[in-house]
Amino acid sequence: ASILALDFSPKIIKMNKTALITGGSRGIGFGIAECLAKIGFDLAINGQRTENECIENLEKLRNYGIKVIYCQGNVGETSGRKTILDKVKAEFGYLNLFVSNAGVAPYVREDILISSEESFDRLIDINLKGVYFLTQSIANWMIELKTQNPNFEANIVINSSVSATIAGNSRGEYCVSKAGLSMVAQLFAVRLGEYDIPVFEVRPGIIKTDMTSIVAEKYEKLLQEGLAVQKRWGTPQDVGKVVASVAQNSFAYSTGQVFIVDGGLTLGRF
């Protein structure tokens, strides 16, 4: 009689890397999500809309054969940040990449001589304060993961804007919030260096999204007149490809660096 051979050798279970993308259900965030999905990342997508309102894009991501969860919550609120992170921990148990992308523009573009305190507070809460404290929580979690496993790979990407260095008097609160984000990225790059967790800043230029649609005609004209070296709109995928490179540890020894994705908009020129 034949003897059934049993295999008791340890099985290696391959686990996908995971990423949390705030504001990942549309615009630049969705472009980043698609690029990460293409390289096999499981994704936690955050947004303020309900999951049903985002279902079309979530299903597009799932079609890449990855796990996608939706984490509804406002990064500008303490409770919102906790809800987001609690769900990521419960569903995945670890996080390799945090992409801080969520951000808002002023409801109304107003000259800084008349812009309101309410608008300023809203943008600082969501664009800056929320990012600072969500990054803080995630950084501490990543430190725990690295302490448990020194080979654990983790990266943080802070999406800011060319408005971090270019003044726009009709949206001063937006520029201030983005300039603050630039420092947030530097601070965490310095603090997390000892744990070998690189932190990067990405500064998109004029990117074609629903946020820029209200000024599309204006920027289309300016781009054709040479506002940027490359006479075209940037796309969410232009930003996504940069983040995907970071996600694959292509810049593991370049923490604190700034990736400018603006078609040469901020190049010094005569």
Side-chain angles (χ1 to χ4, degrees), residues 128-204:
L128 182 55
K129 178 183 173 182
V131 175
Y132 184 97
F133 285 104
L134 183 54
T135 304
Q136 181 189 77
S137 296
I138 289 172
N140 278 299
W141 184 25
M142 287 179 167
I143 289 170
E144 289 178 17
L145 293 167
K146 289 283 283 190
T147 301
Q148 295 163 10
N149 176 12
N151 294 320
F152 184 79
E153 294 178 351
N155 289 280
I156 293 174
V157 175
I158 307 280
N159 262 8
S160 64
S161 166
V162 293
S163 294
T165 60
I166 297 178
N169 282 335
S170 63
R171 50 197 179 92
E173 59 270 66
Y174 183 81
C175 295
V176 169
S177 70
K178 296 301 182 178
L181 278 185
S182 184
M183 180 52 71
V184 169
Q186 292 178 60
L187 288 167
F188 279 99
V190 171
R191 186 65 184 88
L192 298 180
E194 68 178 279
Y195 302 100
D196 198 22
I197 300 174
V199 181
F200 305 92
E201 179 190 354
V202 176
R203 288 182 193 163

Side-chain angles (χ1 to χ4, degrees), residues 113 229 244 264:
L113 295 178
V229 173

Side-chain angles (χ1 to χ4, degrees), residues 74-92:
N74 181 353
V75 299
E77 298 174 352
T78 303
S79 59
R81 294 190 294 272
K82 184 178 186 305
T83 298
I84 295 163
L85 196 50
D86 284 351
K87 186 165 185 180
V88 177
K89 288 182 176 181
E91 294 283 345
F92 290 141

Side-chain angles (χ1 to χ4, degrees), residues 209-252:
T209 67
D210 53 353
M211 183 183 286
T212 54
S213 62
I214 59 172
V215 287
E217 186 175 343
K218 169 189 172 182
Y219 280 122
E220 183 66 43
K221 183 174 184 293
L222 289 171
L223 286 166
Q224 292 309 311
E225 291 174 350
L227 178 63
V229 173
Q230 293 173 263
K231 294 185 178 182
R232 70 166 176 88
W233 286 83
T235 68
Q237 288 70 30
D238 287 323
V239 182
K241 289 173 184 176
V242 171
V243 177
S245 294
V246 169
Q248 296 176 95
N249 289 313
S250 298
F251 303 97

